[in-house]
């Protein structure tokens, strides 16, 4: 530790701290524009100037290290002053320069009310300007469907450039020209392609980069703010849902160091318009080939009549990808009381089973644990498509150095360098046996990770591949005392919660793909299951939010609530239990899914014993106590991995792995209802134009 005196207060700080960090540790407030804790230091704005005793002029505290400070003439600790007239004059001078070219358009700027420049001008600005020349004018740039540019406001802090290069790993933004003519641009004015590009709006300290879909929609003080959790993928990013009345206006990230840090994907951020488009707001019954509006009692009576007329072994239920733990529990409870064994939460045919042990289907290394890893083998996964924020965490570890990465599966731009090992299970078997050169790197690592994706598991031979991957982890030292590197990356939010609850077929029951086959069942319940094609013949009851694939196939539609319209629990890919909070209410006559199942149970003669969400949770926690521990990752049992490795699971198909996600932006019914996601999908598919090299 190094001693430092800040405004007369002596403190001990690590020598690698900057003066800015040291001053904040001492309780001093240091203004800044270009500095950001998760980005490299640029030292552009000079707003963080402080007085370092002995220095002839103020120094930029963000770029000056504590270890670079010289002691006093008698060996006393270095002194830093943040409130002297010299510092005040420096702050006012820098602010005056920043405002020379900044337009006075706060009343029409989307950043108004949450703008760093506004806040710091109030604290450090002066009431007059000595500048009389014309302001600089910069042409606005087109950089895609999500980020709107007003480049006259830009103060060249380069936060956006550093984010695109360092965190997103897609260096599409940069600066051209010098001095007064400097501009931030995509060079060729093409659309940004990063799935994290929306984060530059949060990073921009002025109104130069704002949200294009949200432009001129609302002011921050008009909005009610609700802390919640994202369900667009299995990571469970911490989000804040801002609403005005019943309408969701925008979604922003919250800081959660263990999960998403402070980033969210563009799908998480901009799926908002999909929440109000193509919504189901009343029950429907199919008559002939058409669906007609119906009352709840009519819909329930039709379901009860059909269920009562068929044997229990001809009834089934499939849970969808966005369901909360409570409604999954209610669905299983109802099916159990009906003595139905055909129930499944795995639409994609994944072989994961609760009987194998929880460690066999969770991300055991944890998301934050990626930063402690020293080798990574990716098996049948494209993290950039399947969990882009987790992929950014992998890139963060890769940038720190000494992190070999091997990939088995489809080649793709993952935003970091990796060694392509092969396309299918043959390569994995070679590594497991120790014959492949990459196996030695995994053996030498202290904390290796074997990341197994759904491209490897959601195949007919998924059980055998899971056993082979577990064998690889055990043989190469990824599973040992104090470390479990066997990590399954799920692609859907409800999967781990469903497996924790045991939403898999009972003895003699059918899995989801079998239930959807022709002639398999007479009655099939779909709880938001839109990613599976149900063959003609079965009577389908769909409980969901959007007019998507499940609703098109349904004979009875019961309108449910989207994730922003209900309170519930979800379990992310690492097994962390998280709480979704309601930000609004479902439209029309739509109801929360658990309440629909509770009301339906009355009509089916098997009444569920809970009339409120609290009563439902009491039953849930009694049956599954671990789900009551919020924001906790339960330690995994390495013995589960060893037992899976010894499992006799049949032959492995030599076919290459194929990613289950072909379009990042259109993976669920809410995203498919979003016009913004459709535009992003079209931009992503559009091939970049060829450019001549003359």
């Amino acid at each position: 530790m190094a001693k430092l005196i800040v405004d007369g207060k002596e403190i001990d700080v690590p020598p690698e701290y900057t003066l800015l960090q040291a001053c904040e540790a001492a309780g001093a407030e240091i203004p800044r524009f270009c500095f950001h804790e998760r980005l490299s230091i640029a030292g552009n704005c000079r707003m963080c100037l402080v007085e370092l005793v002995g220095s002839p002029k103020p120094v930029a505290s963000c770029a000056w290290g504590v270890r670079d400070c010289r002691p006093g003439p008698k060996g006393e600790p270095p002194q830093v002053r943040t409130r002297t007239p010299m510092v005040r004059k420096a702050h006012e001078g820098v602010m005056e320069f920043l405002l020379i070219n900044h337009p006075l358009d706060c009343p029409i700027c989307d950043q108004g009310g949450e703008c760093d420049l506004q806040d710091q001008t109030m604290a450090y600005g002066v009431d007059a300007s000595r500048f009389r020349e014309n302001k600089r004018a910069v042409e606005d740039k087109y950089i895609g469907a999500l980020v709107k540019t007003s480049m006259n406001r830009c103060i060249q802090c380069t936060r956006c450039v550093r984010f695109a290069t360092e965190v997103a790993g897609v260096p599409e933004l940069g600066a051209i020209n010098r001095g007064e003519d400097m501009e931030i641009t995509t060079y060729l004015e093409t659309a940004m392609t990063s799935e994290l590009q929306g984060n530059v709006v949060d990073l921009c300290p002025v109104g130069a980069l704002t949200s294009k879909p949200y432009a001129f929609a609302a002011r921050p003080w008009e909005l009610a703010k609700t802390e919640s959790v994202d369900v667009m993928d299995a990571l469970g990013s911490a989000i804040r849902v801002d609403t005005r009345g019943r309408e969701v206006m925008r979604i922003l990230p919250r800081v959660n160091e263990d999960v998403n840090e402070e980033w969210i994907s563009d799908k998480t951020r901009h799926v908002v318009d999909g929440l109000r488009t193509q919504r189901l707001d009343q029950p429907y019954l199919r008559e002939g080939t058409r669906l007609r509006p119906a009352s709840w009692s009519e819909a329930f009576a039709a379901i009860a009549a059909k269920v009562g007329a068929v044997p229990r072994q001809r009834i089934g239920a499939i849970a969808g990808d966005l369901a909360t733990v409570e409604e999954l529990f209610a669905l299983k409870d109802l099916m159990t009381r009906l003595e139905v064994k055909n129930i499944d939460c795995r639409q994609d045919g994944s072989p994961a089973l609760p009987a194998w042990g929880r460690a066999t289907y969770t991300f055991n290394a944890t998301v934050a644990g990626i930063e402690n890893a020293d080798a990574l083998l990716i098996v049948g996964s494209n993290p950039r498509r399947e969990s882009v924020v987790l992929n950014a965490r992998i890139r963060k570890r890769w940038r720190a150095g000494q992190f070999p990465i091997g990939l088995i599966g489809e080649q793709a731009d993952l935003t970091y360098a990796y060694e392509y090992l092969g396309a299918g299970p043959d390569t994995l078997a070679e590594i497991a046996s120790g014959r492949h050169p990459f196996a030695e790197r995994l053996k030498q690592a202290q904390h290796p990770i074997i990341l197994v994706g759904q491209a490897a598991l959601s195949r007919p031979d998924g059980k055998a591949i899971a056993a082979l991957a577990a064998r690889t982890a055990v043989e190469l030292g990824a599973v040992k005392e104090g470390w479990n590197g066997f990590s399954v990356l799920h692609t859907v939010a409800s999967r781990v919660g469903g497996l924790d609850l045991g939403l898999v077929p009972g003895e003699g029951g059918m899995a989801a793909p079998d239930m959807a086959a022709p002639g398999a069942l007479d009655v099939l319940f779909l709880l938001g299951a839109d990613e599976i094609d149900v063959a003609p013949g079965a009577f389908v009851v769909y409980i969901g939010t959007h007019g998507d694939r499940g609703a098109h196939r349904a004979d009875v539609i019961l309108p449910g609530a989207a994730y922003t319209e209900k309170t519930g629990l979800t379990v992310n890919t690492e097994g962390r239990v998280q709480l979704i909070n309601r930000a609004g209410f479902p439209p029309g006559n739509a109801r929360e899914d658990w309440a629909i199942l509770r009301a339906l149970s009355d009509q089916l003669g098997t009444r569920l014993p809970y009339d409120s969400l609290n009563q439902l949770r009491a039953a849930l926690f009694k049956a599954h106590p671990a789900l009551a521990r919020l924001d906790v990752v339960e330690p995994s049992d390495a013995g589960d991995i060893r037992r899976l490795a010894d499992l006799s699971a049949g032959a492995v198909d030599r076919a290459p792995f194929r990613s289950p996600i072909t379009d990042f932006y259109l993976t669920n019914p809410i995203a498919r209802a979003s016009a913004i996601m459709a535009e992003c999908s079209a931009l992503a598919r559009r091939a970049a134009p060829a450019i001549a090299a003359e």
Side-chain angles (χ1 to χ4, degrees):
M1 302 293 279
K3 286 192 180 299
L4 203 66
I5 299 175
V6 179
D7 294 333
K9 178 181 179 181
E10 186 173 303
I11 60 169
D12 291 312
V13 294
E16 62 269 16
Y17 265 28
T18 62
L19 283 187
L20 189 149
Q21 292 171 303
C23 291
E24 292 197 332
E29 180 183 341
I30 306 296
R32 85 290 300 271
F33 289 112
C34 68
F35 177 80
H36 192 276
E37 291 80 0
R38 303 186 199 278
L39 303 176
S40 61
I41 294 170
N44 291 338
C45 70
R46 321 307 286 181
M47 194 64 201
C48 64
L49 293 173
V50 297
E51 180 183 353
L52 180 61
V53 174
S55 173
K57 58 182 181 180
V59 300
S61 60
C62 72
W64 195 287
V66 169
R67 59 161 52 97
D68 297 325
C69 297
R70 295 169 58 184
K74 298 181 181 179
E76 61 267 26
Q79 292 190 50
V80 180
R81 297 169 183 164
T82 67
R83 302 172 187 168
T84 61
M86 175 197 285
V87 174
R88 180 73 189 185
K89 184 178 180 181
H91 287 164
E92 290 177 355
V94 170
M95 183 60 68
E96 188 175 4
F97 273 114
L98 289 175
L99 294 177
I100 277 176
N101 283 309
H102 194 82
L104 299 176
D105 57 0
C106 296
I108 62 162
C109 177
D110 274 315
Q111 197 85 340
E114 47 191 8
C115 173
D116 291 349
L117 186 62
Q118 277 184 334
D119 296 341
Q120 295 189 36
T121 299
M122 291 297 294
Y124 304 103
V126 294
D127 60 356
S129 173
R130 292 173 286 176
F131 191 72
R132 294 291 177 264
E133 288 75 18
N134 294 326
K135 288 182 180 286
R136 183 187 68 156
V138 182
E139 185 178 351
D140 293 341
K141 310 294 191 299
Y142 170 78
I143 61 174
L146 303 180
V147 182
K148 176 186 174 185
T149 61
S150 300
M151 302 314 292
N152 283 336
R153 303 169 184 159
C154 181
I155 61 171
Q156 286 91 39
C157 71
T158 69
R159 278 188 182 183
C160 55
V161 176
R162 285 174 283 149
F163 173 84
T165 303
E166 298 164 13
V167 179
V170 186
E172 297 169 315
L173 285 175
I176 60 173
N177 304 325
R178 301 179 66 187
E180 186 184 32
D181 297 323
M182 179 177 168
E183 297 180 25
I184 304 296
T185 177
T186 55
Y187 304 113
L188 301 175
E189 295 201 21
T190 55
M192 295 176 69
T193 60
S194 170
E195 299 85 358
L196 292 167
Q197 61 180 278
N199 291 287
V200 300
V201 173
D202 297 333
L203 288 171
C204 185
V206 295
L209 302 177
T210 56
S211 173
K212 188 176 285 188
Y214 179 69
F216 309 123
R219 286 300 194 185
W221 54 83
E222 301 174 325
L223 305 176
K225 301 167 179 64
T226 306
E227 294 186 351
S228 191
V229 174
D230 174 51
V231 296
M232 292 295 112
D233 57 28
L235 185 63
S237 299
I239 59 173
R240 193 188 83 195
V241 182
D242 288 0
T243 55
R244 184 171 60 189
R246 297 172 65 97
E247 185 177 6
V248 176
M249 300 302 296
R250 64 177 180 178
I251 294 175
L252 298 176
R254 287 189 295 121
V255 175
N256 187 332
E257 298 291 351
D258 294 330
V259 181
N260 61 307
E261 297 182 290
E262 60 183 83
W263 318 124
I264 56 173
S265 72
D266 293 335
K267 183 165 57 177
T268 298
R269 184 186 299 269
H270 291 293
V271 79
V272 170
D273 65 321
L275 289 166
R276 49 182 179 260
T277 308
Q278 298 183 12
R279 287 301 302 270
L280 301 172
D281 58 0
Q282 66 181 61
Y284 288 87
L285 278 175
R286 186 174 295 279
E287 289 186 351
T289 59
R290 300 178 66 86
L291 289 164
R292 69 165 178 86
S295 65
W296 282 101
S297 56
E298 279 184 286
F300 286 160
I303 296 168
K306 193 68 178 178
V307 170
V310 300
R312 295 298 185 251
Q313 64 269 23
R314 301 286 296 175
I315 301 174
I318 302 175
D321 297 344
L322 308 181
T324 63
V325 169
E326 288 89 344
E327 56 211 45
L328 293 172
F329 179 78
L331 177 67
K332 186 187 179 189
D333 196 0
L334 178 60
M335 292 299 115
T336 301
R337 292 170 188 272
L338 290 172
E339 299 179 351
V340 171
K341 296 183 178 179
N342 305 313
I343 183 169
D344 204 351
C345 66
R346 307 163 302 173
Q347 291 186 81
D348 56 7
S350 168
L353 286 171
W356 292 352
R358 197 170 193 253
T360 64
Y361 59 82
T362 57
F363 200 94
N364 297 297
T366 73
V367 177
I370 292 172
E371 297 187 27
N372 298 323
D374 49 6
L376 173 64
L377 174 63
I378 301 173
V379 181
S381 177
N382 181 338
R384 184 174 174 184
R385 281 185 184 169
E386 296 166 19
S387 184
V388 62
V389 178
L390 182 141
N391 191 64
R393 184 83 73 150
I394 296 175
R395 174 177 168 78
K396 179 181 178 182
R397 173 62 187 89
W398 171 78
R399 290 185 71 239
Q402 302 299 314
F403 189 52
I405 302 174
L407 173 66
I408 303 175
E410 290 181 308
Q411 281 187 286
D413 178 9
L414 299 182
T415 72
Y416 42 81
Y418 60 84
E419 184 179 342
Y420 184 66
L421 308 178
D426 287 351
T427 307
L428 181 60
E430 194 176 345
I431 291 176
S433 65
R435 299 193 308 270
H436 196 284
F438 197 80
E440 193 59 34
R441 295 194 182 187
L442 294 172
K443 285 181 180 178
Q444 292 173 357
Q446 295 298 311
H447 301 110
I449 293 178
I450 311 296
L451 189 156
V452 185
Q454 297 308 301
L457 299 179
S458 57
R459 312 179 356 152
D461 62 342
K463 186 176 180 181
I465 293 175
L468 179 58
R471 200 172 309 128
T472 305
V474 172
E475 293 295 330
L476 300 182
V479 178
K480 54 190 173 184
E481 184 69 30
W483 179 256
N484 188 343
F486 182 84
S487 302
V488 177
L489 178 59
H490 291 282
T491 57
V492 299
S494 66
R495 183 62 51 82
V496 175
L499 293 172
D500 282 348
L501 295 175
L503 257 77
V504 294
E507 187 177 352
M510 289 185 283
D514 299 326
M515 285 189 259
L521 297 175
D522 292 329
V523 178
L524 181 59
F525 291 87
L526 300 180
L527 181 64
D530 289 281
E531 314 306 322
I532 191 166
D533 291 313
V534 180
F539 181 86
V540 176
V541 179
Y542 176 73
I543 304 172
T545 60
H546 286 72
D548 205 79
R549 188 182 304 171
H552 292 169
R553 175 62 186 84
D555 295 285
V556 179
I557 295 175
L558 305 177
Y563 71 104
T564 58
E565 300 158 359
K566 58 190 174 186
T567 298
L569 300 173
T570 185
V571 187
N572 77 348
T573 192
E574 61 182 349
R576 183 186 302 272
V577 182
Q578 298 173 291
L579 179 64
I580 297 172
N581 285 312
R582 177 182 4 208
F585 292 89
N589 288 325
R591 297 291 182 266
E592 292 187 41
D593 301 48
W594 75 266
I596 295 173
L597 293 166
R598 162 65 185 82
L600 178 60
S601 69
D602 267 344
Q603 298 292 319
L604 298 179
T606 55
R607 177 171 181 153
L608 297 176
Y610 24 80
D611 297 323
S612 68
L613 187 60
N614 286 338
Q615 292 177 359
L616 170 55
R617 281 187 179 155
L620 169 66
F621 296 155
K622 183 177 180 181
H624 304 276
L627 294 175
R629 294 188 277 275
L630 281 179
D631 206 34
V632 171
V633 179
E634 296 290 335
S636 55
D637 181 5
D640 295 340
I641 311 299
R642 295 188 178 93
R643 285 187 289 273
L644 177 60
D646 295 334
L647 191 68
S648 178
V652 173
D653 189 345
R654 299 183 63 181
F657 299 132
R658 299 293 179 198
S659 175
I661 296 179
T662 55
D663 193 327
F664 167 78
Y665 295 101
L666 304 176
T667 56
N668 60 64
I670 301 176
R672 288 191 287 270
S674 167
I676 299 168
M677 292 298 98
E679 186 175 358
C680 291
S681 174
L683 287 171
R685 290 195 306 268
R686 191 176 302 161
I691 300 172
E694 294 97 46

